[in-house]
Amino acid sequence: MKKTALNQLHHNLGAKMIDFGGWEMPVQYTGIIEEHQAVRNNCGLFDVSHMGEIEITGPGATSYVNKLVTNQIDVEVGRVIYTPMCYEDGGIIDDLLVYRIKPDHYMLVVNASNKDKDFEWISKNAPDDVNARDLTDQFGLLALQGPKSEEVLSSLVNFDLSELKPFRLLNEKVNGHEMIISRTGYTGEDGFELYLNPDLAETIWNSIMEAGEDYGIMPAGLGCRNTLRLEAALCLYGNDIDEEINPLEAGLNWTVKFDKDDFYGKSALLEISDAGVDRKLIGFILKDRGIARHGYDIEVNDKKAGFVTSGSFSPTLDENIGMGYLQNQYAEVGREISILIRNREVKAKVVELPFI
């Protein structure tokens, strides 16, 4: 397994480590619920250095990135755009963040398990006036998340952090070290991402943890990252979206800009849009005991009508929640459904997303 620059620090903190996309990563330190509540109410610090960074530069960079992804990225420098990247049939290769660093300089932040597949697709289709490079090994990545995150990070920078608006980026110094700072998040809370030299990762981690002592900061693992993003109904690649699912049925219509020039998957997605989707990503709350796991059947009137993609206990709601795909005719809010958990029907109800 690959290891981030903070691997030994995680072991020293007593983290429970797992294989995540080929990386040895911390799933929890003190406990998923405690870490989850720290991020919801105060702040938590994540090591997400396993994420991939792909640089795209050259005179044709803007037109090429716009062709690669479904969303519109021809925006001002300093913006960050969330978007799917699709095959010609509309299936999602990955969902990613596009950072516009300079007019002809982009950084695509991709999921760890998809990085090699993504880079192959991007390189294979790149025109002659575009250069694509895999920069993953050149970055460490820390995510400070939670309502107190701005107060914590403000003590380590020499500029007004409130001026960095959501889905924007800056090249600035943290504790005297230059790095890319963005404000996106994958938790449903305010938060910041720090893209830095891996050699600085432990120094910056310790500085943030020290600065956050009075704000209830905790190291946070991938376990609570999953429960946090699920409460916010943010898709996880490999669970809620994949190559067999298109953005329209995943509720990502807002990321598909049909009015821009051609992009991979546009024709197929236009056909799907015109015909209407057969299934939709829905949220549900279980009425009885049990956790809905990925792949479990969803039934309506004792017949299979869909499948679960994500499920967990929600520490914020104190309920068992989940997401899944349900046939369109059954996907209205309030619908009574059943989740088949180990051959046992567990009653549930379709609810509006996000959960919080």
Side-chain angles (χ1 to χ4, degrees), residues 28 37 92 98 113 118 155 187 202 207 221 241 246 308 344:
Q28 66 180 61
Q37 291 171 335
I92 301 173
V98 177
S113 59
D118 291 355
S155 65
T187 59
E202 187 166 350
S207 298
I241 51 176
N246 67 69
V308 175
R344 178 175 63 94

Side-chain angles (χ1 to χ4, degrees), residues 29 92 248 295-296 300:
Y29 299 87
I92 301 173
L248 304 181
Y296 284 3
V300 177

Side-chain angles (χ1 to χ4, degrees), residues 279-315:
R279 60 188 181 182
K280 287 182 179 179
L281 184 67
I282 55 98
F284 58 85
I285 292 179
L286 294 173
K287 292 184 168 184
D288 301 321
R289 292 171 61 92
I291 299 291
R293 304 292 185 191
H294 176 78
Y296 284 3
D297 286 349
I298 301 176
E299 294 185 343
V300 177
N301 300 326
D302 296 322
K303 292 182 179 179
K304 181 178 177 180
F307 57 92
V308 175
T309 57
S310 291
S312 177
F313 172 71
S314 164

Side-chain angles (χ1 to χ4, degrees), residues 56-104:
I56 298 181
T57 56
T62 297
S63 60
Y64 181 51
V65 176
N66 242 340
K67 185 175 182 180
L68 280 173
V69 301
T70 64
N71 210 338
Q72 176 62 261
I73 58 86
D74 192 6
V75 293
E76 67 268 24
V77 169
R79 287 283 300 276
V80 184
I81 302 295
Y82 170 79
T83 179
M85 178 170 65
C86 294
Y87 288 119
E88 289 286 22
D89 66 358
I92 301 173
I93 304 172
D94 203 358
D95 66 324
L96 51 100
L97 292 172
V98 177
Y99 285 61
R100 193 168 194 187
I101 310 290
K102 296 176 183 176
D104 294 322

Side-chain angles (χ1 to χ4, degrees), residues 10-23:
H10 300 316
H11 282 280
N12 293 345
L13 290 173
K16 178 182 178 182
M17 308 294 284
I18 60 166
D19 180 351
F20 188 84
W23 291 78

Side-chain angles (χ1 to χ4, degrees), residues 163-345:
E163 294 181 359
L164 179 60
K165 301 304 180 185
F167 284 82
R168 300 295 195 277
L169 71 97
L170 289 172
N171 281 284
E172 274 289 354
K173 290 182 178 180
V174 175
N175 208 26
H177 301 284
E178 193 159 321
M179 61 192 69
I180 297 172
I181 309 171
S182 63
R183 192 170 198 163
T184 67
Y186 186 58
T187 59
E189 297 294 338
D190 188 19
F192 302 88
E193 298 78 40
L194 309 179
Y195 296 84
L196 40 74
N197 185 319
D199 293 340
L200 295 173
E202 187 166 350
T203 297
I204 299 302
W205 173 283
N206 289 333
S207 298
I208 294 172
M209 291 300 296
E210 184 177 344
E213 280 184 6
D214 293 336
Y215 296 93
I217 195 171
M218 293 186 70
L222 297 183
C224 79
R225 193 168 174 83
N226 183 56
T227 55
L228 290 158
R229 69 90 195 166
L230 179 56
E231 289 183 344
L234 299 172
C235 290
L236 174 64
Y237 194 92
N239 280 50
D240 311 299
I241 51 176
D242 58 32
E243 297 173 6
E244 304 298 320
I245 292 169
N246 67 69
L248 304 181
E249 58 193 358
L252 298 174
N253 311 55
W254 60 276
T255 68
V256 181
K257 301 297 193 276
F258 288 122
D259 57 349
K260 73 172 187 172
D261 290 339
D262 193 34
F263 58 86
Y264 292 115
K266 182 176 182 179
S267 296
L269 291 171
L270 273 171
E271 286 185 20
I272 294 167
S273 179
D274 290 342
V277 296
D278 295 324
R279 60 188 181 182
K280 287 182 179 179
L281 184 67
I282 55 98
F284 58 85
I285 292 179
L286 294 173
K287 292 184 168 184
D288 301 321
R289 292 171 61 92
I291 299 291
R293 304 292 185 191
H294 176 78
Y296 284 3
D297 286 349
I298 301 176
E299 294 185 343
V300 177
N301 300 326
D302 296 322
K303 292 182 179 179
K304 181 178 177 180
F307 57 92
V308 175
T309 57
S310 291
S312 177
F313 172 71
S314 164
T316 304
L317 300 178
D318 194 26
E319 302 260 22
N320 290 323
I321 65 173
M323 296 197 299
Y325 286 90
L326 190 59
Q327 291 175 15
N328 203 25
Q329 65 265 36
Y330 303 126
E332 75 274 11
V333 171
R335 162 75 66 173
E336 300 287 331
I337 60 175
S338 297
I339 313 297
L340 202 60
I341 300 179
R342 299 189 187 91
N343 296 316
R344 178 175 63 94
E345 282 192 13

